[in-house]
């Protein structure tokens, strides 16, 4: 049995920030999901004995990089506006065993199961851990301004990224790795998962055209702050485009100078 699992910092942050995402209009109905890899200290607080929890098949299997990990996950069909008031049913912790392609339910998720996107999240975690061992969070939602921009903005990821960078100085500071852009395809399919994970090898934010956004980070606040910045850049882009006349924004040299000042390396070929 878990020990004070709802007092874990990660649980409190998921409860808090999921509600803020709903307040921003990014998670209508059950339109969002979150997974978080617990630290060793957080996992130790659970006092869980592997092999004692309910075991459930995990579609796609367990990547080697994720074996032995404890993962905090939101429930399928969970409404983010309700999550913080119903942690027992709408949030839970699972364990990914060293052998086999199952997950074990450790605590929470009462009368429920993890998000239907769990397999995709687990695969994305493995990809991001290969890029940065400190990456712990995968977060999906429907950030409004980013989605609006996929309807009227550039349709290739280089131009999409640069358009965002030009809007406010923080863009090239917060997401110098750029934005991955997946053309519209049916969600939940192997196709969209494969495209997302290919882009996640070098980026922390991937946009699904006309659908949603995946952001990753070292903490909930890191992933949330990344999305806030991307969405703010998209909002300014939309406002500028509808103003009838606007300046071109930060030029290439300005972006290069800013990146250099903060020690950031930009993707090759993105700027002249």
């Amino acid at each position: 049995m878990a020990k004070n699992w709802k007092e874990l910092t990660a649980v409190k942050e998921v409860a808090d920030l999921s509600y803020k995402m709903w307040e921003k209009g990014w998670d209508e109905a059950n339109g969002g999901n979150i997974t978080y890899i617990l630290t060793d200290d957080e996992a130790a607080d659970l006092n869980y004995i592997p092999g004692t929890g309910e075991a459930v098949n995990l579609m796609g299997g367990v990547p080697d990089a994720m074996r032995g990990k404890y993962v905090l996950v939101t429930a399928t069909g969970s409404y983010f506006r309700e999550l913080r008031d119903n942690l027992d049913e709408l949030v839970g912790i699972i364990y990914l065993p060293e052998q086999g392609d199952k997950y074990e339910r450790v605590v929470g998720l009462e009368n429920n199961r993890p998000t239907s996107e769990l397999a995709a999240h687990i695969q994305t975690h493995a990809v991001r851990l290969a890029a940065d061992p400190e990456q712990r969070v995968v977060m999906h939602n429907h950030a409004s301004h980013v989605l609006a921009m996929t309807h009227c903005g550039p349709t290739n990821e280089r131009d999409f990224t640069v358009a965002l960078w030009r809007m406010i100085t923080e863009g090239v500071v917060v997401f110098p790795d750029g934005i991955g852009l997946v053309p519209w395809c049916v969600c939940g399919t192997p196709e969209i998962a494969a495209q997302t994970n290919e882009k996640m090898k070098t980026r922390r934010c991937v946009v699904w055209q006309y659908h949603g956004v995946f952001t990753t980070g070292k903490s909930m606040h890191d992933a949330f702050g990344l999305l806030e910045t991307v969405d703010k850049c998209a909002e300014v882009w939309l406002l500028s485009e509808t103003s009838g006349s606007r300046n071109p924004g930060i030029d290439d040299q300005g972006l290069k100078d800013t990146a250099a000042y903060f020690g950031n390396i930009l993707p090759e070929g993105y700027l002249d």
Side-chain angles (χ1 to χ4, degrees), residues 56-163:
V56 181
N57 287 327
L58 180 64
M59 184 177 65
V62 179
D64 288 343
M66 291 297 290
R67 292 198 177 279
K69 305 288 189 188
Y70 290 82
V71 181
L72 174 67
V73 57
T74 54
T76 186
S78 56
Y79 283 33
F80 276 14
R81 65 175 179 267
E82 300 174 352
L83 190 148
R84 66 179 184 179
D85 297 320
N86 190 6
L87 293 175
D88 289 309
E89 291 188 12
L90 302 184
V91 179
I93 296 171
I94 62 172
Y95 172 72
L96 300 172
E98 297 289 353
Q99 301 292 329
D101 290 323
K102 298 177 182 291
Y103 67 83
E104 299 173 13
R105 189 178 73 85
V106 177
V107 71
L109 296 172
E110 294 181 3
N111 304 310
N112 216 333
R113 61 186 187 278
T115 169
S116 59
E117 301 284 355
L118 177 63
H121 276 242
I122 297 302
Q123 295 292 332
T124 299
H125 275 297
V127 170
R128 288 308 304 161
L129 285 173
D132 180 354
E134 295 185 11
Q135 294 276 295
R136 295 190 173 278
V137 176
V138 174
M139 187 172 74
H140 169 61
N141 64 26
H142 303 157
S144 306
H145 298 107
V146 181
L147 291 188
M149 190 170 169
T150 68
H151 284 268
C152 55
T155 55
N156 72 77
E157 60 194 19
R158 173 194 175 277
D159 292 346
F160 193 90
T161 294
V162 174

Side-chain angles (χ1 to χ4, degrees), residues 100-249:
D101 290 323
K102 298 177 182 291
Y103 67 83
E104 299 173 13
R105 189 178 73 85
V106 177
V107 71
L109 296 172
E110 294 181 3
N111 304 310
N112 216 333
R113 61 186 187 278
T115 169
S116 59
E117 301 284 355
L118 177 63
H121 276 242
I122 297 302
Q123 295 292 332
T124 299
H125 275 297
V127 170
R128 288 308 304 161
L129 285 173
D132 180 354
E134 295 185 11
Q135 294 276 295
R136 295 190 173 278
V137 176
V138 174
M139 187 172 74
H140 169 61
N141 64 26
H142 303 157
S144 306
H145 298 107
V146 181
L147 291 188
M149 190 170 169
T150 68
H151 284 268
C152 55
T155 55
N156 72 77
E157 60 194 19
R158 173 194 175 277
D159 292 346
F160 193 90
T161 294
V162 174
L164 292 172
W165 281 347
R166 295 200 195 285
M167 293 300 99
I168 60 175
T169 302
E170 284 74 9
V172 78
V173 176
V174 175
F175 53 99
D177 45 345
I179 304 298
L181 186 60
V182 174
W184 187 88
C185 54
V186 178
C187 62
T189 62
E191 176 189 3
I192 198 168
Q195 288 193 56
T196 300
N197 286 328
E198 183 61 32
K199 295 179 185 300
M200 279 289 182
K201 291 178 180 179
T202 55
R203 305 169 183 87
R204 294 169 299 128
C205 179
V206 173
V207 175
W208 290 354
Q209 189 180 37
Y210 315 145
H211 179 166
V213 187
F214 265 75
T215 53
T216 63
K218 299 177 181 180
S219 68
M220 274 298 298
H221 285 284
D222 184 29
F224 182 81
L226 170 60
L227 181 56
E228 275 189 311
T229 307
V230 174
D231 196 65
K232 179 63 171 286
C233 290
E235 180 181 16
V236 175
W237 187 89
L238 291 165
L239 290 170
S240 299
E241 286 294 309
T242 57
S243 69
S245 174
R246 71 170 177 85
N247 295 326

Side-chain angles (χ1 to χ4, degrees), residues 172-173 176 253-266 271:
V172 78
V173 176
Q253 192 58 53
L255 294 174
K256 291 177 183 178
D257 290 346
T258 304
Y261 182 80
F262 285 93
N264 291 331
I265 298 174
L266 305 181
L271 301 176

